[in-house]
Amino acid sequence: MKKIINQPENVLDEMLNGLVYAYSNLLTRLDDSGVILNKEMKAGKVGLVSGGGSGHEPAHAGFVGQGMLDAAVCGPVFTSPTPDQIFEGIQKADQGAGVLLIIKNYSGDVMNFEMAKDLAEMEDIEVETIIVDDDIAVEDSTFTAGKRGVAGTVLVHKILGAAADKGASLSEIKALADAIVPNIKTLGVALSGATVPEVGHPGFELAEDELEFGVGIHGEPGYSRQKVAPSKELAKEIVGKLKGQFNWQAGDQYGVLVNGLGATPLMEQFVFMNDVKELLEADGLNVTFKKVGDYMTAIDMAGLSLSMIHIEEDSWLENLDHNVTTIAW
Amino acid sequence: MKKIINQPENVLDEMLNGLVYAYSNLLTRLDDSGVILNKEMKAGKVGLVSGGGSGHEPAHAGFVGQGMLDAAVCGPVFTSPTPDQIFEGIQKADQGAGVLLIIKNYSGDVMNFEMAKDLAEMEDIEVETIIVDDDIAVEDSTFTAGKRGVAGTVLVHKILGAAADKGASLSEIKALADAIVPNIKTLGVALSGATVPEVGHPGFELAEDELEFGVGIHGEPGYSRQKVAPSKELAKEIVGKLKGQFNWQAGDQYGVLVNGLGATPLMEQFVFMNDVKELLEADGLNVTFKKVGDYMTAIDMAGLSLSMIHIEEDSWLENLDHNVTTIAW
């Protein structure tokens, strides 16, 4: 393992210290916990809290700020934060209008965020939850009952964050969340495994001429391992699978997020985006939102994912374009 | 070579197409050239043009936009763009108040940008140049007479871009450039080589337990190859070398940029930033600007660099904090 770290067991603490030092204008860390807070909360606004295991940087702390999240609760690498840490995040994010928890669909996260919700409700904080399960690769993978939550979660942060910023109520935000999540789908491809610092070797190995479709952001198994292929072929496979789920028609409005998994340079992400473009244009889609970069990574995994959102309401696009002050959007 | 590309010789063209598709709200591509333009130029503003070989994404096209560059001229991977392409960029960037060229110190770039300047002056466009040579690692490396231009160049884009946005004249911007460049210094460490798509293998190899200090952003040799060490030790070496150059005193005002080289996750960059913090705090520096992420990469090289700027004037800090509309700042 070749990494720029110190003791592997200190990675979370040192990373969060480095983060809040670098962005002390925007963020604070609650004591020595994994709770990263927006420095300037807005009174009367619905609080948005997300989080989960670390190793997906810039998610989720990179999306804390005006117009997105109020708190990110950062667990150890690839491990859910505890209910009491999430509860602390909820307490700080509550500005009197209740809190929505945005949870990626992993059994540990779902359990711990739900327990934190119970703790908060005992303190009379109104809490709603939304579970994001955008990964169409597989059902019931490692750590997950049903589909996994991956990069599409960032689109959920953005759309709900804009709604909260504009003054929507908790019930309105919950209704919006329920409307958008079924319209967000993601599929990825991995060229290498990810190395958890405390483990010291990749979670899985791919040969020099192999790739795997549908690998999760913790290295969970995908659906097909095959020989490396040109970007055009990868785009065809991934767009084809997404099309099969969305069943889109010419003229439908979509948004597109190409997400690097951690070790894949922008050069490759842009080449891939160009191949995606040709397929979506051939189908006559009206693509009104696009973004390329590292948003939801798997530590140092090489590869990328494609997320698409069927934009059923123009207000969703307005929310995607709404101004934010965060590190990473 | 495992990369998400198609034919290696098409990488530049396809990457630029993917880029302008993804950010069609901000950028345009001039015909099928390597010239990427700010979509909304500001009449009467001094034009800022940068560029060089590709492979350093998001530099430089990611810094085109309101408040930074007006044009980025993108050559083939690790190869300078031609004088006529740079000339086209100058023509488009000229809004009647002249153009400043920001050039990283590589022999090919310096020659071609200077030739483009001559072409522009023949068309009565007033042109000034600034050569950035922030890398303190070595003198007279591969492709370079003197010191190399690396990640500190992005700070030059930012400070000059803000000055131009606020209405400074060409001579004022040239004077500001001459003042800031000697105050910007960078040193990096590589954990792996970079693979140019058309070459197909890394430009150099490091053993599993080796790293190299001072490697350039094209894989040019550094000054010391040694066994891997904890982040704290890397920070001590790099901060120590920068301190030797700046000769700083307690209370001096500095800005800090930790820059990932392409395949190094943010997790490691933030851990490193935390180690840098402790050293700078021990020396009593007044660090008023900080940033962490991938700004000037070397394709898929693992490693990072630390850039520091001695902020002699508060206006430089205001310029660093000035609002921008770009993909990557």
Side-chain angles (χ1 to χ4, degrees):
Chain A
M1 176 178 61
K2 217 184 210 179
K3 283 186 188 287
I4 300 175
I5 58 171
N6 298 296
Q7 293 302 100
E9 62 270 27
N10 296 337
V11 159
L12 176 64
D13 187 54
E14 294 179 5
M15 172 177 75
L16 295 180
N17 279 340
L19 171 80
V20 295
Y21 173 69
Y23 297 101
S24 53
N25 52 333
L26 295 176
L27 305 176
T28 54
R29 182 177 179 191
L30 184 60
D31 306 322
D32 293 324
S33 78
V35 181
I36 302 294
L37 299 169
N38 184 0
K39 208 164 175 176
E40 293 188 18
M41 302 269 184
K42 200 168 168 178
K45 190 186 84 71
V46 170
L48 294 188
V49 176
S50 193
S54 291
H56 308 300
E57 295 69 34
H60 296 273
F63 305 115
V64 172
Q66 177 263 318
M68 285 185 85
L69 303 178
D70 299 282
V73 188
C74 308
V77 178
F78 289 0
T79 302
S80 176
T82 57
D84 59 302
Q85 293 226 331
I86 301 165
F87 173 49
E88 287 188 300
I90 294 172
Q91 284 180 304
K92 293 292 181 185
D94 178 40
Q95 302 300 307
V99 172
L100 185 96
L101 307 182
I102 302 169
I103 311 166
K104 300 196 300 301
N105 190 33
Y106 299 99
S107 306
D109 285 333
V110 172
M111 187 177 69
N112 291 346
F113 276 80
E114 291 286 354
M115 285 174 65
K117 175 178 191 277
D118 292 342
L119 294 171
E121 286 173 343
M122 283 189 274
E123 300 290 326
D124 291 326
I125 301 173
E126 205 182 348
V127 179
E128 293 280 2
T129 62
I130 182 72
I131 294 175
V132 185
D133 60 347
D134 56 313
D135 189 346
I136 64 167
V138 294
E139 294 263 344
D140 302 335
S141 176
T142 328
F143 316 128
T144 315
K147 293 182 291 148
R148 301 176 296 227
V150 291
T153 309
V154 179
L155 301 175
V156 178
H157 295 344
K158 185 65 178 74
I159 293 174
L160 301 186
D165 196 42
K166 292 181 202 166
S169 70
L170 181 59
S171 62
E172 287 167 342
I173 293 173
K174 168 64 175 163
L176 178 59
D178 287 337
I180 61 172
V181 165
N183 282 290
I184 299 175
K185 298 180 193 302
T186 299
L187 186 59
V189 59
L191 272 59
S192 77
T195 298
V196 174
E198 293 201 59
V199 175
H201 58 80
F204 66 96
E205 300 269 4
L206 287 166
E208 185 50 38
D209 63 346
E210 274 184 337
L211 53 77
E212 185 167 334
F213 286 106
V215 170
I217 55 172
H218 313 89
E220 306 95 316
Y223 65 86
S224 169
R225 192 172 281 206
Q226 63 170 63
K227 294 289 175 201
V228 292
S231 171
K232 280 184 200 312
E233 296 301 319
L234 308 187
K236 200 182 286 180
E237 168 70 18
I238 291 172
V239 171
K241 282 275 191 300
L242 289 169
K243 181 178 180 174
Q245 293 277 325
F246 280 116
N247 198 18
W248 58 58
Q249 308 296 319
D252 287 353
Q253 184 175 195
Y254 277 83
V256 172
L257 171 70
V258 171
N259 171 62
L261 289 172
T264 288
L266 279 173
M267 173 188 282
E268 297 176 40
Q269 297 180 38
F270 283 125
V271 167
F272 179 79
M273 181 52 129
N274 184 51
D275 293 320
V276 168
K277 161 186 178 276
E278 296 189 3
L279 294 166
L280 302 185
E281 284 180 352
D283 279 3
L285 294 194
N286 177 24
V287 180
T288 53
F289 176 83
K290 300 156 239 163
K291 211 162 173 71
V292 178
D294 289 6
Y295 296 94
M296 178 74 75
T297 61
I299 313 179
D300 52 359
M301 187 182 283
L304 51 73
S305 63
L306 175 65
S307 297
M308 292 183 66
I309 172 170
H310 180 201
I311 301 176
E312 289 190 330
E313 307 283 342
D314 285 337
S315 62
W316 301 2
L317 177 62
E318 286 164 24
N319 285 8
L320 285 167
D321 288 334
H322 185 74
N323 202 33
V324 292
T325 307
T326 65
I327 301 171
W329 174 256
Chain B
M1 176 180 59
K2 215 183 208 180
K3 282 185 188 291
I4 300 174
I5 58 171
N6 297 296
Q7 292 303 99
E9 61 271 27
N10 296 337
V11 160
L12 176 64
D13 187 54
E14 294 178 5
M15 172 176 74
L16 295 181
N17 279 340
L19 171 80
V20 296
Y21 172 69
Y23 297 101
S24 53
N25 53 334
L26 295 175
L27 305 176
T28 54
R29 183 178 179 189
L30 185 59
D31 306 325
D32 293 324
S33 78
V35 181
I36 301 294
L37 299 169
N38 184 0
K39 207 164 177 177
E40 293 188 20
M41 301 268 185
K42 201 168 167 178
K45 189 187 83 74
V46 171
L48 294 189
V49 176
S50 193
S54 292
H56 308 299
E57 294 69 33
H60 296 273
F63 305 115
V64 172
Q66 177 261 320
M68 284 185 86
L69 303 177
D70 299 283
V73 189
C74 309
V77 178
F78 289 0
T79 302
S80 177
T82 57
D84 60 301
Q85 292 225 333
I86 302 165
F87 174 47
E88 288 187 300
I90 294 171
Q91 285 180 303
K92 293 291 180 186
D94 178 40
Q95 303 300 306
V99 172
L100 185 97
L101 308 181
I102 302 168
I103 311 166
K104 298 197 300 303
N105 190 33
Y106 299 99
S107 305
D109 284 332
V110 172
M111 188 176 70
N112 291 345
F113 276 80
E114 291 286 353
M115 284 174 66
K117 175 179 191 277
D118 292 344
L119 293 170
E121 286 173 343
M122 283 189 275
E123 301 290 328
D124 292 325
I125 301 173
E126 205 183 347
V127 179
E128 294 281 3
T129 61
I130 182 72
I131 295 176
V132 185
D133 60 347
D134 56 313
D135 189 346
I136 65 166
V138 294
E139 294 265 342
D140 301 335
S141 176
T142 327
F143 316 128
T144 315
K147 293 181 293 147
R148 301 176 297 227
V150 290
T153 309
V154 179
L155 302 176
V156 178
H157 295 344
K158 184 65 179 68
I159 294 174
L160 301 186
D165 195 44
K166 293 180 200 167
S169 70
L170 182 58
S171 61
E172 288 167 339
I173 293 173
K174 168 65 175 162
L176 178 60
D178 287 337
I180 62 172
V181 165
N183 282 290
I184 299 175
K185 298 180 193 304
T186 299
L187 186 59
V189 59
L191 273 58
S192 77
T195 298
V196 174
E198 292 200 59
V199 175
H201 58 79
F204 66 97
E205 301 268 5
L206 286 167
E208 184 52 37
D209 63 347
E210 274 184 335
L211 53 78
E212 186 168 336
F213 287 105
V215 170
I217 56 173
H218 313 90
E220 305 96 316
Y223 65 87
S224 170
R225 192 171 283 204
Q226 62 169 63
K227 294 290 175 199
V228 292
S231 171
K232 279 185 200 313
E233 296 301 317
L234 307 186
K236 201 181 283 181
E237 168 70 18
I238 291 172
V239 170
K241 282 276 192 296
L242 289 168
K243 181 178 179 174
Q245 293 278 324
F246 280 116
N247 198 19
W248 59 57
Q249 307 298 320
D252 287 354
Q253 185 175 193
Y254 276 82
V256 171
L257 171 71
V258 170
N259 171 61
L261 290 172
T264 288
L266 278 174
M267 174 188 281
E268 297 175 40
Q269 297 180 39
F270 283 125
V271 167
F272 179 79
M273 180 54 128
N274 184 51
D275 292 320
V276 168
K277 161 185 178 278
E278 295 190 3
L279 295 165
L280 302 185
E281 284 181 350
D283 278 4
L285 294 194
N286 177 24
V287 180
T288 53
F289 176 83
K290 299 155 239 161
K291 212 162 170 73
V292 178
D294 289 6
Y295 296 94
M296 178 73 75
T297 62
I299 314 179
D300 52 0
M301 187 183 283
L304 52 74
S305 63
L306 175 64
S307 297
M308 291 182 65
I309 172 169
H310 180 199
I311 301 175
E312 289 191 328
E313 308 284 342
D314 286 337
S315 63
W316 302 1
L317 177 62
E318 286 163 23
N319 285 7
L320 285 167
D321 288 335
H322 186 74
N323 202 33
V324 292
T325 307
T326 65
I327 301 169
W329 176 255

